[in-house]
């Protein structure tokens, strides 16, 4: 590992300054590294959500139709040639459409229970379970193998539900030909992403393909700009904001994140 403290090093317990300070405190390499990682997670989450949307649209109404929700796992490994000394890897899980797959909090809750069972079963058999397998894999896409030493840094959600409506309703509307109007495509639809990282970051992405220039739709409990870490952040309590269904998503995602963190990073705690 390089001398720079990156997410791959596992020393993730520092926190951003609590409020504005003048003169501003120097930004550490670790803070810049985590800010960069948050930006990369935003980019990967958006890309996953777009791919999820396109694939779900292509398979809409078919026997192998996709459900509206997916889960992503984020890992980093040492990469000295990269600007911050690490490389991000993303694996994900998508589900076939079913009544159970429509309920995001329930889906996350079930996945948490399955994950805990896999961990316990592996421990009882003297094996260390990993979410990418080979036994009990919880992913079916993305980076399905990792370099040696890769470290878990977070979990996320891709959902096709948005303020435009639930996916089944919106996806069906793409098949309607408007009278005298332009028919929409999947590229016109919004999507959402949630993520929790091991440094305490929570972030939400409202992906809007028609957003005005400069509106990225990102809300994050910690700064994505390493030079603004001491500025007031209106999203510090992000996981407690929003309506009840949104808070339920955060709570169930946090349960899954705690189980994965406790298992995958236990040996890295000081």
């Amino acid at each position: 590992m390089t001398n720079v403290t990156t997410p791959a090093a596992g020393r993730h317990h520092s926190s951003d300054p609590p409020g504005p300070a003048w003169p501003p405190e120097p930004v550490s390499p670790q803070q810049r590294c985590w800010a960069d990682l948050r930006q990369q997670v935003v980019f990967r989450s958006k890309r996953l959500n777009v791919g999820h949307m396109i694939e779900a649209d292509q398979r809409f109404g078919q026997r192998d139709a996709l459900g509206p929700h997916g889960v992503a796992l984020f890992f980093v490994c040492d990469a000295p040639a990269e600007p911050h000394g690490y490389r991000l890897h993303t694996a994900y899980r998508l589900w076939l459409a079913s009544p159970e797959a429509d309920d995001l909090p329930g889906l996350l809750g079930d996945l948490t229970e399955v994950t805990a069972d896999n961990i316990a079963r592996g421990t009882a058999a003297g094996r260390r379970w990993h979410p990418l397998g080979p036994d009990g894999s919880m992913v079916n896409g993305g980076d399905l193998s990792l370099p040696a030493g890769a470290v878990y840094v977070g979990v996320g959600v891709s959902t096709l539900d948005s303020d435009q409506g639930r996916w089944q309703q919106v996806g069906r509307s793409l098949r309607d030909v408007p009278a005298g109007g332009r028919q929409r495509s999947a590229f016109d639809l919004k999507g959402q992403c949630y993520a929790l990282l091991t440094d305490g970051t929570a972030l939400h992405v409202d992906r809007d393909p028609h957003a005005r220039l400069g509106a990225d739709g990102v809300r994050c409990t910690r700064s994505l700009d390493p030079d603004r870490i001491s500025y007031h952040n209106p999203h510090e309590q992000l996981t407690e904001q929003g309506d009840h269904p949104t808070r339920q998503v955060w709570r169930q995602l946090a349960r899954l994140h705690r189980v994965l963190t406790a298992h995958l990073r236990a040996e890295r705690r000081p």
Side-chain angles (χ1 to χ4, degrees):
M1 188 60 205
T2 62
N3 291 329
V4 175
T5 304
T6 68
R11 295 188 288 273
H12 58 279
H13 298 286
S14 68
S15 61
D16 293 345
W22 190 262
E25 298 180 15
V27 181
S28 70
Q30 183 183 18
Q31 289 170 323
R32 290 191 181 278
C33 190
W34 276 104
D36 179 76
L37 177 62
R38 293 171 202 132
Q39 294 181 45
Q40 288 205 41
V41 167
V42 168
F43 173 77
R44 292 289 182 90
S45 297
K46 285 184 174 181
R47 188 172 69 179
L48 172 60
N49 190 255
V50 170
H52 183 187
M53 179 77 72
I54 294 171
E55 187 71 14
D57 177 52
Q58 293 175 345
R59 292 159 61 169
F60 191 86
Q62 301 178 20
R63 292 184 61 182
D64 62 346
L66 284 179
H69 313 301
V71 169
L73 301 178
F74 303 108
F75 299 85
V76 297
C77 67
D78 289 341
E82 297 294 331
H84 292 277
Y86 76 93
R87 182 174 293 115
L88 177 64
H89 295 268
T90 308
Y92 62 82
R93 169 74 177 268
L94 299 178
W95 282 265
L96 294 177
S98 69
E100 295 77 14
D102 284 344
D103 176 15
L104 180 53
L107 196 67
L108 292 172
D110 290 345
L111 186 59
T112 301
E113 297 303 320
V114 171
T115 299
D117 288 346
N118 283 333
I119 292 171
R121 194 158 37 245
T123 300
R127 300 189 305 270
R128 184 166 179 79
W129 176 82
H130 194 279
L132 272 62
D135 298 320
S137 173
M138 61 182 285
V139 298
N140 55 17
D143 298 324
L144 297 179
S145 61
L146 298 172
V151 179
Y152 170 79
V153 291
V155 63
V157 161
S158 166
T159 176
L160 307 184
D161 292 345
S162 71
D163 59 11
Q164 292 177 319
R166 301 292 295 271
W167 165 244
Q168 289 300 324
Q169 167 198 353
V170 176
R172 192 172 298 109
S173 73
L174 297 181
R175 275 77 192 155
D176 299 332
V177 180
R182 184 182 71 87
Q183 187 170 6
R184 293 191 303 171
S185 75
F187 295 99
D188 295 307
L189 301 183
K190 292 183 176 182
Q192 296 185 84
C193 308
Y194 301 77
L196 295 172
L197 305 182
T198 52
D199 72 330
T201 295
L203 65 86
H204 175 266
V205 180
D206 182 12
R207 188 187 59 78
D208 182 357
H210 297 297
R212 70 181 187 279
L213 186 65
D216 59 11
V218 178
R219 295 182 295 156
C220 188
T221 56
R222 300 193 175 192
S223 178
L224 279 73
D225 182 348
D227 295 313
R228 293 179 63 88
I229 59 173
S230 63
Y231 284 65
H232 171 67
N233 183 356
H235 307 304
E236 287 181 349
Q237 305 301 320
L238 178 62
T239 59
E240 298 303 321
Q241 297 170 353
D243 56 19
H244 177 70
T246 299
R247 295 195 302 273
Q248 283 295 98
V249 171
W250 282 121
R251 288 176 186 138
Q252 294 299 331
L253 185 61
R255 286 185 61 223
L256 177 60
H257 183 50
R258 285 194 296 270
V259 170
L260 289 169
T261 301
H263 177 63
L264 296 174
R265 296 191 69 109
E267 75 282 3
R268 292 182 174 268
R269 293 177 180 172

